[in-house]
Amino acid sequence: MSLQSSFIQIFISHIKREFLINFRSLVDVIAIISFMILIVTLFVLGIGPFEEKLKLISNAIFWIGLILAIIPSLEKTLQKDYDNGWLDQATTSPTPMELILLSKSLAYWLIVIIPLLISLPLFIVLLNIKLKLIPWLLISLLIGGLSISLIGIIGSALTLGAKRGNILLPILIIPLIIPILIFGVGISEAVRINESPLGNLFLLIGFTLIYLVISPFISAFLIRIAISR
Amino acid sequence: MLYLKDVTIKRGLKTVFYNWSATIENSKVTIISGKNGVGKSTLLRAIAGMIPIEKGIVKNHDNEIFKDKIKWGQNLIYIDSKNGLSKDLTVFENLKTWSEMRGWKTSDNDLQKALDSVDMLNHKNLYVSQCSEGLKKRAALSRLYLSLLFDVGFWLLDEPTNELDQKSIILFNKLIQRFLENKGTILLACHELKLFNFNYELLNLDLLKKKN
């Protein structure tokens, strides 16, 4: 009998740990969703009762709302474990840091995306999103959400131990998120004007795959620096 | 034998150790002492692989330890004042996730025995956010019992006795005794030497640094 679990088992047990922590105190998850609902509502109320205006910018509102709602919670993903010493335990363990961080970003993605999907009907009504757009919105939300959480982990690792991390973080990662925003909105816009959204979708997938490969390595490197201070 | 040769360790801009050598005997307890700020924690963190060693080599027998970080990671347990416990999980869940993170397959029975070894079984379903400092430290030290079941050779402990009460210190001594029977090596940074009822080597950083 082998006493050592495989990397896959370690990976899954890590995702379980993140779920346990995040769904026990639902505050963070509720904060993301309610913040997004607030941003979208403010936009819709600000535009006034003009359907034409809303039609033009509803996709942009959705994506900007998503990004702005996720960013405040990104900082905490690593900061908590850094403060309580869990990351020290992870560095002095045989498990590679990259694996831990990959599972962390995937877990974060699932934790954010599941409540977002549940509240999606509300956004569809609020933003008057057309029925044919919904499947594409779902796909782009899933893929875009993954890359936002992968980028977010880099930013979170970068601001570990920084005094004003919560201010620094958005400034650092919003430039990296811009391509996601452009291609995400591009998909919905293409569907709206009856063009093929595949080009934008493939570019979005491409970006996500690049971040999927580099994000664990970059953030593991940054965490090692933060720990060695 | 853990063998440090001509090591230079920096912490930020400050050079804490410069061309410094020491040997640490295997299968024994070595207590690192010295005044505050002399570099006890830095030395432990460097050996654990968290602070890079700028120059020099650290050897365990004939193997350079940082050449194979995974193997070295399997071989050591590091516990410091931060404990590494997540506030939102219970004591039991923390121990379970920790052993899973190291890739150990432990049964619930093993975990309960580990908690029992530091007298934490009554508190196993307590959230760590509700624990006192002493309870947290005991929860962290319960990992040491788990490491007895697996092939771990080194314990690096940074002031483990700070928050412990009399009874816990006796239990802690018992754990150390068992580890020594398993031919384990313990490196311990501590101020109060009278707490321990076993033979130890003393590595006094104040004296050693003057000599170099």
Side-chain angles (χ1 to χ4, degrees), chain B residues 10-40:
Chain B
K10 279 186 184 168
R11 195 131 195 210
L13 292 174
K14 191 189 168 202
T15 308
V16 187
F17 294 92
Y18 181 71
N19 271 353
W20 189 82
S21 303
T23 49
I24 291 149
E25 300 267 347
N26 267 14
S27 314
K28 275 188 183 164
V29 184
T30 304
I31 295 185
I32 306 170
S33 69
K35 55 178 191 261
N36 291 121
V38 76
K40 298 187 294 292

Side-chain angles (χ1 to χ4, degrees), chain A residues 81-163:
Chain A
D81 280 343
Y82 177 73
D83 290 340
N84 67 24
W86 174 261
L87 288 178
D88 289 355
Q89 292 298 325
T91 7
T92 54
S93 80
T95 312
M97 197 52 142
E98 288 81 357
L99 184 80
I100 291 172
L101 287 167
L102 185 65
S103 67
K104 226 176 168 47
S105 38
L106 286 186
Y108 181 77
W109 169 57
L110 291 172
I111 287 161
V112 171
I113 219 76
I114 291 170
L116 267 179
L117 291 180
I118 294 170
S119 54
L120 198 60
L122 185 65
F123 298 124
I124 290 169
V125 174
L126 270 175
L127 294 170
N128 197 17
I129 291 170
K130 292 279 172 298
L131 216 55
K132 65 174 177 183
L133 233 162
I134 291 169
W136 294 103
L137 194 65
L138 268 176
I139 294 170
S140 56
L141 180 63
L142 282 174
I143 298 165
L146 177 58
S147 48
I148 291 173
S149 68
L150 286 165
I151 297 165
I153 269 280
I154 299 178
S156 186
L158 199 57
T159 52
L160 274 186
K163 269 184 190 150

Side-chain angles (χ1 to χ4, degrees), chain A:
Chain A
M1 186 184 86
S2 161
L3 289 170
Q4 201 68 32
S5 343
S6 67
F7 276 168
I8 298 289
Q9 282 166 320
I10 296 175
F11 186 77
I12 291 169
S13 69
H14 241 94
I15 290 184
K16 272 190 204 154
R17 174 179 184 267
E18 294 295 315
F19 267 71
L20 212 56
I21 290 176
N22 280 286
F23 283 111
R24 186 152 286 161
S25 63
L26 279 170
V27 183
D28 287 343
V29 180
I30 292 171
I32 294 172
I33 303 306
S34 48
F35 201 50
M36 177 157 178
I37 293 174
L38 281 177
I39 293 172
V40 172
T41 318
L42 281 182
F43 260 109
V44 173
L45 290 177
I47 288 167
F50 305 106
E51 208 193 332
E52 287 304 307
K53 271 195 199 170
L54 187 64
K55 202 189 265 175
L56 283 174
I57 56 170
S58 64
N59 295 321
I61 295 171
F62 182 80
W63 277 92
I64 291 169
L66 177 73
I67 290 169
L68 290 183
I70 287 181
I71 280 175
S73 73
L74 279 175
E75 190 210 353
K76 285 183 202 138
T77 51
L78 289 172
Q79 190 68 44
K80 267 189 195 168
D81 280 343
Y82 177 73
D83 290 340
N84 67 24
W86 174 261
L87 288 178
D88 289 355
Q89 292 298 325
T91 7
T92 54
S93 80
T95 312
M97 197 52 142
E98 288 81 357
L99 184 80
I100 291 172
L101 287 167
L102 185 65
S103 67
K104 226 176 168 47
S105 38
L106 286 186
Y108 181 77
W109 169 57
L110 291 172
I111 287 161
V112 171
I113 219 76
I114 291 170
L116 267 179
L117 291 180
I118 294 170
S119 54
L120 198 60
L122 185 65
F123 298 124
I124 290 169
V125 174
L126 270 175
L127 294 170
N128 197 17
I129 291 170
K130 292 279 172 298
L131 216 55
K132 65 174 177 183
L133 233 162
I134 291 169
W136 294 103
L137 194 65
L138 268 176
I139 294 170
S140 56
L141 180 63
L142 282 174
I143 298 165
L146 177 58
S147 48
I148 291 173
S149 68
L150 286 165
I151 297 165
I153 269 280
I154 299 178
S156 186
L158 199 57
T159 52
L160 274 186
K163 269 184 190 150
R164 293 277 170 191
N166 54 346
I167 297 169
L168 206 58
L169 184 70
I171 300 171
L172 286 169
I173 68 165
I174 284 185
L176 291 171
I177 293 181
I178 287 173
I180 313 301
L181 174 72
I182 292 171
F183 299 130
V185 174
I187 293 172
S188 311
E189 284 299 305
V191 177
R192 195 173 65 86
I193 57 171
N194 291 324
E195 293 286 329
S196 164
L198 286 178
N200 279 315
L201 181 63
F202 289 152
L203 277 167
L204 185 63
I205 293 173
F207 260 94
T208 310
L209 288 177
I210 290 172
Y211 283 127
L212 190 64
V213 175
I214 63 172
S215 157
F217 292 97
I218 294 178
S219 32
F221 180 73
L222 292 169
I223 283 175
R224 283 194 199 103
I225 292 175
I227 282 176
S228 72
R229 269 201 296 262

Side-chain angles (χ1 to χ4, degrees), chain B residues 8 19 26 52 70 72-73 106 111 125 138 155 157-158 162 187:
Chain B
T8 299
N19 271 353
N26 267 14
I70 290 180
W72 182 235
T106 42
L111 297 173
N125 288 329
R138 269 152 69 186
W155 288 356
L157 310 173
D158 196 353
N162 268 8
L187 257 165

